[in-house]
Structures are given as structure tokens and as C-alpha cells.
């Protein structure tokens, strides 16, 4: 998605530890026009898959998931992190790990909102090591729902998450695939 | 907003400790159609205020803020909770407290995205004791931005947040105002 890559080139900031800051337009401040374009692009890619639900994880996946769900006209479901009191019963739960925050956490989805009747599109802002997506896949697996695929805004292709997903036969569509960020110079595949 | 009240009556679940669960349509699973209606209602209420930015806080405010921002055609800015590494410099920071989680936390907004040139509409899903809104107001105050008002989806009018805001002269618009949830029976004002 050229308009996205251009925006990453212009406004993305590379920090130590392979962190890409896109908080001027994606995960702190949010450019609503770009978000709509992203939603339309995912619709173009996954339309025809009879998707019934968009699954993401709080927080920065929510805005993208909503933009996609608007066009598919289906609900968003976002996994909640931590020990969520109001979700303590009847919950699909998987453990995940954040390399940015260096901590493990639980992801929770109520059993009421996901089941064998669903076909799910997973949406997230970033894919690096793929720990968050693994946990979401575990939740879908527990629920018996079908998986249409995984839609990612920015994939760090030099980390292992994308390769692992593609090798497992899962349909993965990433709108911008970064192969290198060496010396702050962002290269796309 | 009648369609919202009806939905709360039908699908809201009252839990111990004055907790209202609306996770079938607002803050776990999200009804995208209702979200659009909510966005339009806030536009109707605050249109003409020359709003330049929608400010909310992660996580469950993000979806509502995006729906509002789409119609205003302005960016969303969401405050990040905790000790956010990628925001450690140049950050407006305020302390807040969650009665649901019984813990204090920091709210962070990058100084890059908020300043005296902005007129801000604060959007959030719930208003109870008003601690989160207080912190957002503190951030706006630090930034020198103007405040158009506060838009809330569900206000628990029997808690003190709304009263305090109205008495301080801030324009507060709540789409559903709950005066009582005794014995699980939800009453609107």
C-alpha cells in the first residue's frame, strides 16, 4: 500500500531495539483518513471470505479493526489484556509476551462472542515476533471458529512472526513489509 | 439517545460494585452500526465548536473517539497508560486512578500532538467518578489547548464525576445518563 509506505518513510521514527514509532498517525495520534484507506485495502484483500467478526487486541489494534469492520459490516471483538475482573468467567484465555514491555500477559475473550459459527479476520497494527497473533490464533482455535486470515498494517519482515505464519499456511496480508531499519533507514520488501 | 438506552436496557448487565457490563456492544465486542450512530450524535451536539482534535484514553475510548473523529474529519489522540517507554520524553503526564482495577496509573500524551492551536473534544465510553476525565483535562491544561467539551457514551449519574464537571462550567454531553442500577434495574434520567 503505497500511501502507507510513504507515510512511514516521512513520519516513522526508528528507535533503538528495532522499535518503529508511528505515533504521529497510527498508534497515539491517529490519522482518520489513512485509517479509512487501510480499512478499504483490507476489504479489497479479504472480501469474499464470508467474514463474520474482526478480532484484534487492545489497544492500538482497535482503531484499525474498527475501520475494517465498518466496511465489512461486522462486529469488532478485541481481546482484553491482564486479569480482567469483568471477564473472569466463561473466557477464552491465552498467554502472550511483549518484547517491547518485556512482560508476559494474558489475553481474554468472552466465550459468548466467538464460536464455531464465526469466520474471523485477525487485524493488528504491527507484526514482529508474532506473539500477540499466536495468542489470538490460540483463542480462535479454542472457540472452534474458522480463520479467514491475518491482516497487518506494518510487518517487520526481519523478525520471525510473518515467516512462521506463512509457513504454517495461514493467509497473511501485510500492507507495509519492512525488511530493514538499519541506521534509521527504513527499507520495504 | 434512545437507541443507545434501549440497547443498554436489553444487553447491559449490572454486576456487584455498580459495574455495568456493556461488553456485547461497546467495550469488548463492538457494534459498528451503533458506533456510527454515536459518532453522528456527538457531531450533532458539538458541531460548530471548531474542534481540531478528539482526545480519549486507551482502550475502550478509542473506538468511540474514532467514530466521532471520522465525522469531524480531525485526528484522534489517545492518552497512553503506564510508564510508556516510547513516550518517555516530551510528554504531558497526569496521574489517574481506576476504581474498577483499584490502582493508580499515569496517562501520557506526547507534547508534539497537542498545543495552544488546538480545540479539543474529550470522548470516553464511561463517566463515573471522573478520574480519567480529570487527568485528560489536566493534560489539556498543560498543553494550553482549548476545550470544546466532554462527550460521554454512558454516564453513571449517581456517581460524582458528571456533577463535578457540570459545576465547574465544562460542557458535558452524555448520551445515556443512568440514575440508578439498584437490583439490576437500570433507570435513566
Amino acid at each position: 500500500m503505497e500511501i502507507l509506505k510513504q507515510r512511514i518513510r516521512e513520519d516513522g521514527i526508528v528507535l533503538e531495539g528495532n522499535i518503529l514509532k508511528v505515533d504521529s498517525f497510527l498508534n497515539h495520534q491517529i490519522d482518520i483518513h489513512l485509517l479509512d484507506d487501510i480499512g478499504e485495502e483490507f476489504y479489497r484483500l479479504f472480501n469474499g471470505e464470508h467474514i463474520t467478526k474482526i478480532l484484534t487486541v487492545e489497544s492500538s489494534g482497535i482503531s484499525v479493526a474498527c475501520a475494517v469492520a465498518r466496511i465489512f459490516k461486522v462486529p469488532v471483538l478485541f481481546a482484553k489484556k491482564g486479569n480482567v475482573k469483568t471477564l473472569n468467567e466463561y473466557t477464552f484465555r491465552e498467554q502472550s509476551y511483549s518484547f517491547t514491555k518485556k512482560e508476559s500477559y494474558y489475553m481474554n475473550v468472552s466465550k459468548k462472542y466467538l464460536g464455531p459459527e464465526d469466520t474471523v479476520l485477525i487485524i493488528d497494527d504491527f507484526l514482529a515476533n508474532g506473539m500477540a497473533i499466536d495468542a489470538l490464533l490460540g483463542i480462535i482455535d479454542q472457540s472452534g471458529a474458522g480463520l479467514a486470515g491475518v491482516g497487518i498494517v506494518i510487518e517487520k519482515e526481519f523478525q520471525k512472526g510473518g515467516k512462521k505464519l506463512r509457513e504454517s499456511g495461514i493467509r497473511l496480508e501485510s500492507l507495509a513489509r519492512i525488511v530493514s531499519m538499519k541506521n534509521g533507514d527504513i527499507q520495504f520488501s
Side-chain angles (χ1 to χ4, degrees), chain A residues 61-81:
Chain A
I62 295 174
S63 59
V64 184
C66 285
V68 178
R70 281 193 79 248
I71 307 181
F72 276 97
K73 299 184 196 303
V74 299
V76 166
L77 185 59
F78 69 88
K80 295 199 171 191
K81 290 176 183 172

Side-chain angles (χ1 to χ4, degrees), chain A residues 4-15 19-27 126 154 178 181 184-186 188:
Chain A
L4 173 67
K5 290 181 194 169
Q6 199 181 318
R7 192 66 177 272
I8 295 168
R9 267 187 218 107
E10 281 169 12
D11 295 336
I13 296 167
V14 180
L15 299 181
I19 292 172
L20 174 63
K21 265 181 86 165
V22 287
D23 65 4
S24 67
F25 61 94
L26 191 62
N27 48 24
F126 271 98
I154 302 172
I178 296 173
M181 306 199 301
D185 183 29
I186 301 168
F188 298 97

Side-chain angles (χ1 to χ4, degrees), chain A residues 67-96:
Chain A
V68 178
R70 281 193 79 248
I71 307 181
F72 276 97
K73 299 184 196 303
V74 299
V76 166
L77 185 59
F78 69 88
K80 295 199 171 191
K81 290 176 183 172
N83 286 311
V84 181
K85 270 187 199 169
T86 54
L87 281 178
N88 53 2
E89 298 168 66
Y90 315 113
T91 301
F92 299 123
R93 169 169 282 195
E94 288 279 338
Q95 201 164 15
S96 188

Side-chain angles (χ1 to χ4, degrees), chain A residues 38-54 65-75 119 121 123 148:
Chain A
I38 288 171
E40 273 165 31
E41 182 66 6
F42 280 127
Y43 185 76
R44 192 185 66 77
L45 290 164
F46 287 102
N47 184 19
E49 298 281 346
H50 305 288
I51 288 158
T52 63
K53 217 150 267 183
I54 308 295
C66 285
V68 178
R70 281 193 79 248
I71 307 181
F72 276 97
K73 299 184 196 303
V74 299
T119 301
L121 173 59
I123 291 286

